[in-house]
Structure formats: structure tokens, C-alpha cells
Amino acid sequence: MKNIKAILCLSLALLMGGSSSLLAQEGGEEAPAKSSKAVKRSMKALFKIIKAEPSVKDVQKWALGYYKLSPHRINGMATNARLKGLLPDLDFSFEGNQGKRFGNMRDGLYPILPNPTTNPNPNSLKERTAGTNSSNSFRVRAVWNLDRLVFNAEGLDVKSLNSLGETLVREVATLYYSRRRLLASIILSPPEDPEELFFELTRLDELTSTLDSLTGNRFGKQTWNWSESMLGL
């Protein structure tokens, strides 16, 4: 709502200025050209805005940091991928066995007759045995793949991040200087048509928002606010 009010005020001011210019032309008078002092003031205001805003290198650094594509981090990942060959592949295993054994023996030649007092054996078994056994084993195996010191496929995946970082840097630079050219056009030679000026200011906000999203909301906080500077709102 605040920006809409600013646009309406600016449009009204431009319409009034355009009407007076048109009346002057109808009366046979040409609109005076912009004086050199006015040009210098506009240039001074433009450079003041540019100086207060982040540089393109800062914006690129913020974007790489936000997407975790900084050269320092990628180089560290590539080094870790090469050194991975020094670390073995560990294999752990554990095995446990438990068993129970029962045995009944009957003597055919000399059977033992049941005697409830001394041998309560209703089946006339000579011997009955029962036992348990258990075993546990733990195994550790380490395997070194020293060929990964020479070539590791993971290093190619890490290096591919460099191309993503380069693409991001170029995109940020393109958006940054497109926004700067538009900013210079608005400050040095703003259009007299209110609708055209509104479109240019909207385009400026669009580029600012795009760069702000690419830097994790760091760029927009340090940029020029046209509603405050041009209209005092």
C-alpha cells in the first residue's frame, strides 16, 4: 500500500509537469534543456547510491555462500575425496549359535528295571543325557582401495560443482548490472510518462528481489529505497 501511494503521488507530479511542458510548447516555447548543474547533481546522486550498495563481488560471494558453492569448500571436498583412499572400508559381523542336546540310552543285554526307590525310570533307560552348547564370534575386516589415491570417481562429482558455481556467478553478475543500468536510467533520465516510470520501478524491484533471494536475503537490506529517496515516503 505504501508503494502504491508513492506511485500515485509520483504520477500526479509527472502529469502536472507534463501538462505545463505541453502548454509551453503550444505557446511556441521550447522546454528548457537540462542544465549542466542538474546533470551533475543527478550523477552525484547516482554515484552516492552506487557507493552505498554492495559491490558485485560481495553479491557473488553471498550467493556462493548461500548455495554452498564457494571455491574454498569445493576444493576441500575434492581433497577429502582424494584422501578417502587412505581410509579402509570396514566390515563388522557378529555371529551367535546356541544348541541343546538330549540323549537316551537303553541297554538290551542288561536292562535296568524300574525301581521307584532307587531308579525311578519308567522306560528302563540305562542313561539319559542332556546338554547345551553356545558359541559367539565377532569379526572385523578392513580393506584398503589404494587405487582411489590415483583416481576417485567422487572427485568428478565434486569438480562438477565448479561449473554450477560459475553459472551462478555469471547469473548474479548479469542481474546485478542489469539492475544498475536500470537504476542509472531512472536517476539520470526518468521517463515523463507515469505508466512507463511505474514499469521501470517495478522492474527495479523485481531485479532487487531476485538478487535478494539468490543471496539469502542479504542484498535487499542494503539497496536503494526509491520510495524514500524520490518521494520521502
Side-chain angles (χ1 to χ4, degrees):
M1 182 64 69
K2 186 176 181 181
N3 286 340
I4 295 176
K5 292 180 179 179
I7 293 295
L8 292 175
C9 294
L10 184 59
S11 300
L12 182 60
L14 289 173
L15 285 173
M16 294 177 64
S19 300
S20 60
S21 177
L22 182 60
L23 292 174
Q25 292 180 1
E26 289 178 351
E29 298 179 1
E30 295 183 356
K34 198 172 184 180
S35 64
S36 60
K37 291 184 178 180
V39 173
K40 290 181 179 180
R41 285 196 301 267
S42 299
M43 289 295 297
K44 186 177 180 180
L46 175 62
F47 287 124
K48 184 178 180 180
I49 293 172
I50 292 175
K51 186 177 180 180
E53 291 190 343
S55 65
V56 64
K57 291 185 177 180
D58 290 335
V59 179
Q60 290 172 337
K61 183 179 179 180
W62 294 341
L64 291 175
Y66 179 67
Y67 287 98
K68 301 185 186 302
L69 293 174
S70 62
H72 178 73
R73 183 174 183 271
I74 294 177
N75 292 333
M77 294 173 64
T79 301
N80 293 335
R82 289 193 300 268
L83 297 179
K84 190 176 180 180
L86 296 176
L87 300 177
D89 294 331
L90 298 178
D91 182 18
F92 299 91
S93 63
F94 175 78
E95 182 179 357
N97 296 317
Q98 289 186 350
K100 293 183 178 181
R101 181 172 52 84
F102 298 93
N104 296 324
M105 186 177 65
R106 186 188 298 248
D107 194 338
L109 295 177
Y110 303 99
I112 299 177
L113 299 177
N115 186 351
T117 58
T118 60
N119 184 21
N121 188 357
N123 295 322
S124 301
L125 299 175
K126 183 177 182 181
E127 183 180 3
R128 304 184 69 183
T129 60
T132 59
N133 59 3
S134 63
S135 62
N136 297 321
S137 62
F138 183 78
R139 184 179 62 178
V140 180
R141 185 180 66 172
V143 179
W144 278 267
N145 296 319
L146 298 180
D147 57 333
R148 291 188 299 189
L149 292 175
V150 180
F151 174 77
N152 189 352
E154 295 180 4
L156 298 178
D157 298 333
V158 174
K159 290 298 182 181
S160 64
L161 297 177
N162 283 326
S163 61
L164 295 178
E166 293 174 358
T167 302
L168 179 61
V169 166
R170 288 195 298 268
E171 182 67 19
V172 169
T174 301
L175 293 172
Y176 182 88
Y177 286 108
S178 296
R179 179 185 177 277
R180 176 163 291 186
R181 286 190 293 270
L182 181 60
L183 178 63
S185 175
I186 294 174
I187 298 299
L188 298 179
S189 56
E192 296 182 358
D193 183 17
E195 183 178 1
E196 185 178 352
L197 177 61
F198 173 77
F199 289 152
E200 288 195 1
L201 292 174
T202 303
R203 175 59 178 164
L204 181 67
D205 289 340
E206 178 185 358
L207 293 173
T208 303
S209 299
T210 303
L211 289 171
D212 192 47
S213 63
L214 291 175
T215 57
N217 300 325
R218 298 187 64 178
F219 179 74
K221 300 176 182 178
Q222 306 181 41
T223 55
W224 176 61
N225 189 335
W226 60 264
S227 60
E228 293 181 358
S229 299
M230 297 179 67
L231 302 175
L233 299 177

